[in-house]
Amino acid sequence: MNKQVIVGLCNPKSPANVGAVMRAAGCYDVQAVRYTGERFARAAKYQTDTKNQRSQIPLTAVEDITGDLPAGFSRVCVEFAEGATPLPEFKHPANALYIFGPEDGSIAQSIVDKADAVVYVPTLGCMNLAATVNVLLYDRLAKASLAITHNTPADHNAWVRKSRDVNNRLVVR
């Protein structure tokens, strides 16, 4: 099985954050995003997925954030919690469901109690949901043995041209 990532959002309230999570999912090769609760569904009409990732990555409402998880997936809660592992010290599992709490609350204790790991991003104060997802997914990529690497400046430039926004033509001279 290839390395796979699912992002789980516990009762998100902000369509802007969910849209930004979808954009991050596209940037970091996430296979699916799932969410619980009613708040996002009510706010979903305010579409903020600026890269239209929903057409490529499933965004699914679920009753149980950890339910129907494929075999071989680890449950990783990302939350400021006493006893959690700081993200710089965390070794990411090959296949993971990363679970994030709501913008105005925490992941339920019952979910944390069943987690394979609980990690936190060591910041001064808490980041918003989308920022936390981006940092976690970048950390996973940066630590991966198959991280984006290039041997020559031409390789780097090709990657930049492929990944940047269509309006960006910036060149360092």
Side-chain angles (χ1 to χ4, degrees):
M1 174 184 257
N2 292 335
K3 294 179 180 185
Q4 295 188 349
V5 174
I6 299 171
V7 169
L9 308 174
C10 297
N11 199 23
K13 72 175 186 174
S14 166
N17 268 334
V18 176
V21 167
M22 292 303 293
R23 185 167 184 167
C27 289
Y28 295 107
D29 196 27
V30 170
Q31 283 67 49
V33 177
R34 53 174 67 177
Y35 67 92
T36 62
E38 303 285 327
R39 299 186 307 174
F40 173 69
R42 287 193 302 266
K45 63 185 174 188
Y46 304 106
Q47 179 61 281
T48 58
D49 177 6
T50 60
K51 291 287 188 176
N52 196 26
Q53 292 299 324
R54 286 184 77 174
S55 66
Q56 299 170 13
I57 301 168
L59 174 62
T60 309
V62 295
E63 290 290 321
D64 178 1
I65 201 76
T66 62
D68 197 27
L69 195 60
F73 267 71
S74 296
R75 295 173 182 94
V76 179
C77 292
V78 184
E79 185 71 85
F80 270 122
E82 294 179 33
T85 302
L87 185 58
E89 297 175 13
F90 181 64
K91 183 176 186 229
H92 294 270
N95 301 304
L97 165 62
Y98 293 103
I99 304 166
F100 298 84
E103 296 92 330
D104 56 353
S106 298
I107 299 170
Q109 187 69 52
S110 60
I111 295 171
V112 171
D113 290 345
K114 294 177 187 173
D116 297 295
V118 180
V119 300
Y120 74 97
V121 180
T123 58
L124 300 174
C126 57
M127 294 184 292
N128 79 4
L129 173 61
T132 305
V133 171
N134 273 279
V135 168
L136 182 285
L137 293 175
Y138 176 79
D139 184 77
R140 179 182 172 92
L141 174 71
K143 291 176 180 174
S145 60
L146 298 177
I148 300 168
T149 57
H150 309 288
N151 297 324
T152 69
D155 292 338
H156 288 285
N157 290 339
W159 187 263
V160 167
R161 284 190 299 274
K162 174 183 166 193
S163 299
R164 66 185 171 188
D165 186 84
V166 296
N167 296 318
N168 180 347
R169 297 289 176 248
L170 189 61
V171 175
V172 177
R173 298 183 197 269

